[in-house]
Structures are given as structure tokens and as C-alpha cells.
Amino acid sequence: MTSTKRTRAATPVQIPLFDDAQADTALATLDEPLAPEVDPRQITIFSLFEEDEFPLPAAANCAAHAAAHQEATAATSATATTDDVPAQTMTQTAAAPARLEDQFAALPAAWRDLLDPFIASDAFAPLCQFVDAERTAGKTVYPADVFRALRLTSPDEVKVVILGQDPYHGDDRGTPQAHGLAFSVPPGVRTPPSLRNMFKEIAASLGIEAPAHGCLDAWARQGVLLLNTVLTVERANAASHAKRGWERCTDTLIHEIATRHQHLVFMLWGAHAQNKRALLGNGEHAVLEAPHPSPLSAHRGFLGCGHFVQANEYLQAHGRQPIDWRLPEVGEVLA
């Protein structure tokens, strides 16, 4: 019997079969949406699986969520103020996002305090100059709102830290995947494979059905810091802003959070995140390590790791409210 399954050419990526330390670009490109041909559901890294593994969000919901996201972003930009920074410093448009230095200045005071060592370092100005020059040159840089993860979760409210690498560098039918939270995507954007594996682990260990969207703002509001170690990226160019100064910035954040607070949960998935363990010092924390949830490595120990259950057990053992890993039925952008 002749198979009618569509095949497609793919650029080979050489990676070790049994080494979790895969190339950053290999991991990053797994979650980018591929260009549709006939049926977009067939054009994914998981095209070997059944189509119902990758449902499309309802068209009406997509339009409504996209409009809500734009309104929420506009409202936040218009009203965002800090103790000593005027609201207009954070005013953004799609054509002209705020300068990176202004976005640093507009951070909540508690986060600016943690970042003071970096802002005073010799890496701060070159980083700001690089990111702003990329935008001035006409390149699209994701996300426009670089520090949304920090505005959703204050330092004193952090309970769980989940580390990613750099933001998604693709878009889904015209909507950028990146929106300032590691692993998360805006409502209406199809859930990337790594996040789908996170939902599978939650479903298997907690019995929580996977949501129809991938917006993790509800986690962030409960104290889950979804932090990429590099906070910007050029469109369609994975890891393009790595080694430009972001690592020193986020290393400072990780170290300061770990040393100023106790009884946090750090989820370190993959070699890239696990290399940050030394930043945690000798504080009393739960450090949970597993392979990355990427399809390349999830089957080697991420699926079945039990981290979401263990995180809540640790928080409760130290008198803290556990995380409700359920997401609302409809994704909502909260900041």
C-alpha cells in the first residue's frame, strides 16, 4: 500500500545523541513555527504524530486574544510609572519600542536594587547600545517589552524560578511567540513543543489537563519567575544576542535572588540551566535538575521527573502557598 503522508525537506542539525549539552541553536529552533504549506497543523516538528496532537486555537478566540493583548500592552505602556521615572519612558509602539536603558530605568524599584551591580558594571552600556543599534538598523528584536517577567513577579513574591535560554525568535501567523516570559507564548499562538512537554508532565503527575493555550502569566502572578538567561533575540536568528552582556545581567539576578531569599525552588532543565547552579551559593533552596523539555531530550528524564509535584511539596514544607499549576481556560495577558 502506497503511503500518502506528505514529507518535507529539513536542514540536518548535528547533535550528540546521548549528550544533554546540545547546541543552543539546535534547541532554540525546535520551538519556532514552520512555514505553512497546505495545513499548518502538519508543518511541525511533530508531524510524525497525529494531527490532533497539535490543535489550532479557535479563529475567533485568536482574534479576540490578539486584540486583548494589544490593548493590555498599550494600557500598560501608557500607565507604567516608577518612583523616579516618568510614564512616557515606557511608551512603546510596534515601530519604536522603548530604548533598553529606559526599560531598565522603568523597572520596579525592588528589581532595580537587585540589578544595581550589573547596571554599575562595564557590561551595561555596551548591552544597551547593542540592542538599540540592532533596532535602529531595522532589525526586528523580540520581545518589545523586555522585562515583563520582572513586572509580573516581584522579588519578595518569587517562589519558583524556571530558567530558559533566549526568547522565541519566531512568529505564528504574524504574531511573535516571545512575550517576555521563558517558555510562554501569547494567547492565540500555538503551544511550542517544549511547553507541550511541560504540560504533559503536569498532566501525568498532577492529573491537570493540558490547556488550549500557552500563556503562563497566571503562573507568574503566583510567584513563578520565568526567566530566560538572554532577554532579547533577533527575529529568525536563534541565540543572536547571546554573549552580548545579557548573561551577566541575568547571572546577577539569579545570584541576588538566591542569596537574599530562602526556600526557593530552582528548576534547572538541561545543561545550559544547570551551569547556573553555582550562582545559587549555599542558600537553603530546592534545586531540581532534569533534561530540557525539548523533544530532543524530554524522553531522557524530563517526562516523569515530578518537578511540579516536588516544588509544591517543598513550598508547603516551608510554610509557603503551593503553586496552582492549572491555567485558566482562556489565556490572559496580565501585564
Side-chain angles (χ1 to χ4, degrees), residues 22-36:
Q22 296 122 341
D24 287 351
T25 52
L27 282 175
T29 54
L30 285 169
D31 286 330
E32 66 177 283
L34 301 176

Side-chain angles (χ1 to χ4, degrees), residues 89-110:
T89 62
M90 283 297 293
T91 300
Q92 300 180 24
T93 67
R99 294 188 315 141
L100 186 57
E101 185 175 352
D102 292 338
Q103 294 198 46
F104 269 103
L107 278 168

Side-chain angles (χ1 to χ4, degrees), residues 10-30:
T11 303
V13 179
Q14 294 184 350
I15 59 171
L17 290 178
F18 303 103
D19 181 5
D20 192 48
Q22 296 122 341
D24 287 351
T25 52
L27 282 175
T29 54
L30 285 169

Side-chain angles (χ1 to χ4, degrees), residues 181 241 285:
L181 304 180
H241 289 193
H285 304 297

